[in-house]
Amino acid sequence: MGNPLRITDTTFRDGHQSTIATRLKTEDMLPIAPEMNKVGFHSMEVWGGATFDVCVRFLQEDPWERLRTLKKLMPDTPLQMLLRGQNLVGYRNYPDDVVKEFIHEAASSGIDIFRIFDALNDERNLEVSIKTVKECGKHAQATICYSLTERRMGGEVFTLDYYVQKAKKLQEMGADSLCIKDMAGLISPYDAYELVSTLKRVLDIPVQLHTHYTSGMASMSCLKASEAGVDVIDCALAPLALRSAQPAVEPILAALHGTERDPGLELDQIFKLGQYMEEMMQKYKDFLNTTRVAVIDTNVLKHQIPGGMITNLVAQLKEAKALDRLPEVYEEIPRTRKDMGYPPLVTPTSQIVGVQAVLNVLFGRYKVITQQVKDYFYGLYGRPPAPVNPEVQKLALKGYPRGEEPIDCRAADVLEPEMEKARGATKGIAKDRGDVLIYALYPQVGLDFLKKKYGVER
């Protein structure tokens, strides 16, 4: 039978998050969910990331109800979510009581596999999440954000040894599997081979590769990872693949057909599902990025900035009527990132670094410092991969309300519990724990959503 490569399908989460701004509605997932359930995917990523926020903020859908509905329609396929560690599905570190209750609610609503990452690769920010997922009897997939400072793996920070040591720590913490999360599509085929083959030698748990097609290397990297023995890779149905999403599943299946890594999935069934998505996607085509002819962004090979981050930079510069200064921002981002200890560029650190880089270009370096950057230098996001610039840190923390001396403990240790306050603030509106959590994650937007959901007067 060989050693079949397993496939996680991302169509219902990262596929549409990366291609149509997370706008896929539940009503358009329902017709094919039972058919997706029949394919035999290792898992389906259907939740987490930006889907929770977009449901509440833009679609006026209850994200918990989406999850419960999909679970009923896909009972035989493990459902997976992306969880930002202490950030959950928000943009700051939440206290432990919010993290624990969120995970319990997600587990009881249908999530089987929790892919947990931290934007700084600070494993301390995964401790409570991993422990709580295990208490719920679910699968804890610990994640390392893949990042570079050079063209290839190596340099002063993101070396092979860096990733190996992180992986070993996460296995010791109780991870059931490990995911390499390459959010910007930067992993090259031969680096993928070297990293996966090394991790397979030193770990006892399965290894999964999540990459994006942004640079055009993703399918090649998945193929080399397959040769290196990776257990699972992430793919999407073709209409929601490529661009800045995952590789398309169809050519991967065709390439591996008849080999020992043949996933054994029925290609004809997947073609039918792709055809449905192709027809249904016509109503979402306005969300597709049509500003360029190429479906890949070759510039990412040079500047290493994820697509979503570029969109934010452009919007910020447009608002300041300074779009012509985008090349200067591209040059400033590596400097700002170095000052901040080389955080991987993924939510929320991509936004934190990007916004500060724009301000540095518009007003002079660190003449204006955002609140998030001050919180970052204080330690509220965790410990970055490399030491920060002490002079910039001192400048950022001048007059900082919590104190001018940064913390080095686990970030959540300085946070007060919030669930009781959230229950109090939603008393008379929230009907269950899921409602309270919507408020706890996004107080203003969440409260507006709950009032609309239950027809409560403002």
Side-chain angles (χ1 to χ4, degrees):
M1 293 296 290
N3 177 25
L5 178 67
R6 287 171 279 162
I7 307 285
T8 289
D9 177 85
T10 65
T11 305
F12 287 175
R13 206 287 295 177
D14 207 0
H16 71 103
Q17 179 171 324
S18 297
T19 51
I20 56 168
T22 330
R23 292 307 200 276
L24 189 60
K25 295 177 181 176
T26 305
E27 66 187 41
D28 291 321
M29 300 177 189
L30 303 186
I32 64 163
E35 294 303 311
M36 294 285 265
N37 183 54
K38 294 175 185 174
V39 173
F41 290 120
H42 166 72
S43 64
M44 281 193 60
E45 189 192 53
V46 300
W47 213 64
T51 60
F52 199 100
D53 185 8
V54 171
C55 274
V56 171
R57 196 178 299 266
F58 298 116
L59 301 182
Q60 293 303 305
E61 288 188 19
D62 187 327
W64 300 106
E65 192 53 41
R66 171 183 290 191
L67 176 56
R68 287 189 287 266
T69 302
L70 290 174
K71 188 64 182 176
K72 284 177 191 167
L73 295 173
M74 298 189 287
D76 309 311
T77 305
L79 299 190
Q80 184 167 320
M81 80 165 290
L82 182 68
L83 190 82
R84 302 181 188 126
Q86 290 286 147
N87 286 186
L88 297 174
V89 288
Y91 309 102
R92 65 179 174 91
N93 274 352
Y94 296 95
D96 291 341
D97 64 330
V98 178
V99 172
K100 290 173 184 175
E101 294 213 33
F102 182 91
I103 290 171
H104 276 279
E105 186 69 15
S108 63
S109 297
I111 293 298
D112 302 294
I113 300 172
F114 289 78
R115 177 177 291 169
I116 311 163
F117 80 95
D118 177 65
L120 297 180
N121 284 334
D122 184 348
E123 59 277 355
R124 299 174 303 172
N125 288 336
L126 306 187
E127 282 176 12
V128 172
S129 297
I130 291 174
K131 186 179 176 187
T132 308
V133 169
K134 304 277 280 186
E135 285 171 1
C136 293
K138 302 297 183 178
H139 181 110
Q141 182 176 78
T143 304
I144 305 173
C145 292
Y146 185 83
S147 191
L148 299 172
T149 56
E150 322 287 318
R151 189 66 65 84
R152 295 277 303 272
M153 183 169 61
E156 295 178 20
V157 184
F158 299 107
T159 62
L160 179 62
D161 187 60
Y162 169 87
Y163 292 114
V164 168
Q165 295 311 316
K166 288 286 179 188
K168 284 180 173 177
K169 277 184 189 171
L170 293 171
Q171 180 174 265
E172 287 168 12
M173 287 167 64
D176 296 303
S177 63
L178 179 91
C179 178
I180 304 159
K181 178 179 169 61
D182 173 30
M183 54 279 173
L186 296 177
I187 197 166
S188 69
Y190 293 106
D191 284 344
Y193 184 89
E194 183 182 16
L195 180 55
V196 169
S197 55
T198 304
L199 290 175
K200 287 298 293 178
R201 277 199 307 273
V202 301
L203 298 179
D204 300 318
I205 56 177
V207 176
Q208 184 157 357
L209 176 62
H210 170 92
T211 185
H212 287 246
Y213 210 83
T214 318
S215 69
M217 292 194 289
S219 293
M220 294 185 284
S221 298
C222 283
L223 196 60
K224 290 303 289 183
S226 171
E227 290 176 8
V230 78
D231 297 280
V232 194
I233 61 169
D234 287 7
C235 296
L237 295 178
L240 282 167
L242 309 187
R243 300 179 181 88
S244 60
Q246 282 66 60
V249 65
E250 297 87 345
I252 295 276
L253 294 180
L256 294 174
H257 179 70
T259 71
E260 69 161 8
R261 301 302 327 257
D262 187 340
L265 303 182
E266 183 52 58
L267 198 51
D268 285 342
Q269 167 78 352
I270 291 172
F271 283 150
K272 288 178 194 169
L273 297 171
Q275 186 57 42
Y276 166 83
M277 293 301 296
E278 183 66 45
E279 292 167 8
M280 186 273 299
M281 277 288 290
Q282 294 305 309
K283 65 165 125 174
Y284 294 100
K285 60 185 178 184
D286 288 347
F287 289 106
L288 283 172
N289 180 5
T290 55
T291 59
R292 59 171 65 235
V293 175
V295 295
I296 63 171
D297 178 11
T298 51
N299 287 324
V300 80
L301 295 167
K302 179 174 65 177
H303 58 53
Q304 300 184 355
I305 301 168
M309 184 176 174
I310 292 172
T311 308
N312 291 337
L313 296 175
V314 169
Q316 199 181 349
L317 287 168
K318 270 186 182 173
E319 197 174 323
K321 295 183 170 53
L323 193 54
D324 59 312
R325 304 192 72 178
L326 185 59
E328 293 175 65
V329 174
Y330 281 160
E331 288 178 15
E332 174 59 26
I333 282 172
R335 291 194 288 265
T336 304
R337 188 181 177 213
K338 183 178 181 181
D339 289 338
M340 297 176 71
Y342 291 111
L345 296 177
V346 64
T347 303
T349 50
S350 53
Q351 290 89 330
I352 294 170
V353 171
V355 170
Q356 188 59 53
V358 169
L359 294 175
N360 286 353
V361 166
L362 295 180
F363 303 108
R365 300 200 82 227
Y366 303 107
K367 299 294 184 189
V368 178
I369 301 176
T370 70
Q371 184 61 46
Q372 287 76 20
V373 168
K374 293 175 182 179
D375 293 343
Y376 179 97
F377 277 113
Y378 183 68
L380 286 186
Y381 288 91
R383 184 188 295 141
V388 301
N389 183 326
E391 291 176 14
V392 176
Q393 184 177 48
K394 189 175 180 182
L395 188 63
L397 294 182
K398 188 177 180 183
Y400 185 74
R402 289 176 180 265
E404 297 189 0
E405 197 62 36
I407 59 171
D408 193 38
C409 60
R410 188 179 73 101
D413 287 345
V414 302
L415 302 178
E416 295 291 324
E418 293 180 15
M419 280 303 289
E420 282 311 310
K421 289 179 189 171
R423 286 189 176 94
T426 55
K427 193 173 181 183
I429 302 175
K431 299 282 196 292
D432 54 31
R433 179 168 61 179
D435 286 344
V436 176
L437 284 161
I438 288 173
Y439 173 86
L441 291 166
Y442 326 115
Q444 188 55 55
V445 172
L447 191 59
D448 288 345
F449 172 80
L450 293 173
K451 285 178 177 177
K452 284 179 190 170
K453 178 182 175 182
Y454 294 116
V456 176
E457 291 297 318
R458 291 177 181 274

